[in-house]
């Protein structure tokens, strides 16, 4: 079935990033179609805290506030972190950030992915300017002969035309492949083990991160007093840790964390995610753009993946909006180029910085360990440097 109608923007993927972009554009008056292969599982307060959580930076919270969904998310279940503390297992020296130094009430919030996605999904459903196509899967895409629109062909034979198509379908983006965009990848040969754990001492609303020679370990504070951990270790070690009985796992986790919060007294089930660096070689092309994990996948050690994705959506929405105000073709190459210029360099810089940190901290060479400790202490003591890192993390 070929539709004669041409939507302004078709977004493929209604994860946190795609759904936020759809809502933002629709609220600015664009006619949006949002395509998703499966509806998100509903979030319910009585359910156990979902294992996938993200640390949202100030810039992401500002976006969710502007989209009128933050109050719903925050009142459902969100945990403010007011401090961040980073230290190295092999060298003295640490780095601490405090919201008070920034005259802020929090550095950010820990929130379940599923909660954010489901609140955005409900807002999308309520918005009259967004057509949801779910379940739907794109199998082909090409630009019209006159170059004025792009067609998406679906598995069931349906078609859709839009002036701009946005791929927001995540790290393994099928649409990115259909658009012929290559990625540069590095497999860290690591997995990020996640679980929620209880501990003897209070987490003090602090996001803790410890670098070990062969691992990074983060404890992110949850609202119920527990912490959500991300323990990034080599694949074989991840297999071993996942296979441990709960008690043995708790003991090893507590030791790896240097018992900073005392003994680990309880744990949920564990899950693990493969870790890799993946950067799309281009973000744009004729009548398309990539956003979020479809464009960049970064190591989770800095907790920035979705924060970078939300920044993509803001930049793209601003670029399209300004072009339309000027009565220009909002999906013209120079408009999309502006989006790419701004976001690709920022994302690549962040990705390579996290990559360098990951490699620098992965070594147990004593000289390097000394440098790391000195580096942490230096950043901690030199106010402008520290402010620079704090502002970058906040977006
Ligand atoms: C262990 C771990 C910890 C992390 N911690 C943090 C953190 O603290 N802070 C942070 O900012 N980030 C963090 N991240 C990264 C963050 O989870 C991702 O950056 C984020 O989920 C990406 O969102 P997205 O919407 O771009 O993609 P996704 O969440 O992957 O969403 C893609 C959507 O597209 C849909 N889809 C897929 N294929 C198709 C198709 N063919 N057709 C239609 N729809 C499709 C999917 O169903 C899904 O809904 C972490 C990641 C890991 C692995």
């Amino acid at each position: 079935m070929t539709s004669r109608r041409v939507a302004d923007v078709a977004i493929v993927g209604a994860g946190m990033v795609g759904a936020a972009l759809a809502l933002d554009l629709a609220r600015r008056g664009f006619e949006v179609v949002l395509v998703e292969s499966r509806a998100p599982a509903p979030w319910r307060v009585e359910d156990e805290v979902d294992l996938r959580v993200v640390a949202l930076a100030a810039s992401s919270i500002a976006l969710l506030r502007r989209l009128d969904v933050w109050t719903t998310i925050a009142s459902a279940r969100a945990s403010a972190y007011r401090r961040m503390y980073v230290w190295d297992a092999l060298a003295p020296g640490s780095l601490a950030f405090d919201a008070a130094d920034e005259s802020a009430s929090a550095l950010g919030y820990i929130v379940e992915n599923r909660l954010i996605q489901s609140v955005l999904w409900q807002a999308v459903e309520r918005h009259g300017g967004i057509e949801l196509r779910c379940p739907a899967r794109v199998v082909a895409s090409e630009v019209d002969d006159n170059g004025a629109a792009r067609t998406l062909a679906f598995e069931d034979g349906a078609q859709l035309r839009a002036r701009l198509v946005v791929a927001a379908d995540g790290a393994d983006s099928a649409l990115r492949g259909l658009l012929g965009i290559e990625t540069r990848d590095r497999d860290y040969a690591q997995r990020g083990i996640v679980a929620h754990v209880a501990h003897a001492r209070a987490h003090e609303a602090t996001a803790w991160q410890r670098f070990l020679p062969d691992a990074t370990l983060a404890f992110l504070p949850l609202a119920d007093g527990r912490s959500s951990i991300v323990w990034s270790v080599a694949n074989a070690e991840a297999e071993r840790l996942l296979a441990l009985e709960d008690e043995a796992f708790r003991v090893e986790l507590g030791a790896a964390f240097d018992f900073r919060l005392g003994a680990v007294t309880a744990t949920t089930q564990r899950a693990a995610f493969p870790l890799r660096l993946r950067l799309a070689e281009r973000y744009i092309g004729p009548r398309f753009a990539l956003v979020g994990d479809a464009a960049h996948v970064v190591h989770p050690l800095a907790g920035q993946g979705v924060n970078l994705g939300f920044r993509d959506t803001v930049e793209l929405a601003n670029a399209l909006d300004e072009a339309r105000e000027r009565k220009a073709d909002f999906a013209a190459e120079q408009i999309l180029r502006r989006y790419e210029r701004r976001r690709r360099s920022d994302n690549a810089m962040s990705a390579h910085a996290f990559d360098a940190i990951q490699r620098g901290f992965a070594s147990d060479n004593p000289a390097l360990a000394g440098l790391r400790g000195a580096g942490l202490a230096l950043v901690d003591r030199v106010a402008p440097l520290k402010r620079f890192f704090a502002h970058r993390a906040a977006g």
Side-chain angles (χ1 to χ4, degrees), residues 329-381:
D329 173 4
F330 60 77
E333 191 194 334
Q334 72 272 21
I335 309 296
L336 300 181
R337 180 84 49 216
R338 177 189 126 177
Y339 158 69
E340 180 181 59
R341 237 189 349 260
R342 296 205 173 161
R343 290 307 307 152
R344 196 158 156 244
S345 53
D346 183 48
N347 291 328
M349 193 162 90
S350 301
H352 290 127
F354 308 152
D355 189 52
I357 294 171
Q358 198 277 330
R359 286 161 182 249
F361 278 93
S363 166
D364 55 4
N365 177 321
L368 209 53
L371 264 179
R372 287 195 308 253
L376 285 178
L378 179 74
V379 174
D380 199 51
R381 273 201 309 270

Side-chain angles (χ1 to χ4, degrees), residues 12-18 35-38 52-55 113 117 136-138 168-171 174 192 194 220 230 273-275 291-294 300 303-307:
V12 178
M16 293 182 278
V17 172
V35 178
E36 169 59 51
S37 52
R38 65 195 152 102
R52 292 291 308 261
V53 302
V54 281
N113 296 20
Q117 197 189 357
R137 200 175 278 278
V138 177
D169 50 346
V194 296
L220 307 174
V230 184
F273 299 90
L275 303 185
V291 292
D293 272 23
Q304 285 298 322
V306 81
N307 293 304

Side-chain angles (χ1 to χ4, degrees), residues 286-305:
R287 300 223 164 248
F288 74 77
L290 311 183
V291 292
D293 272 23
H296 44 79
V297 180
V298 300
H299 197 287
L301 65 84
Q304 285 298 322

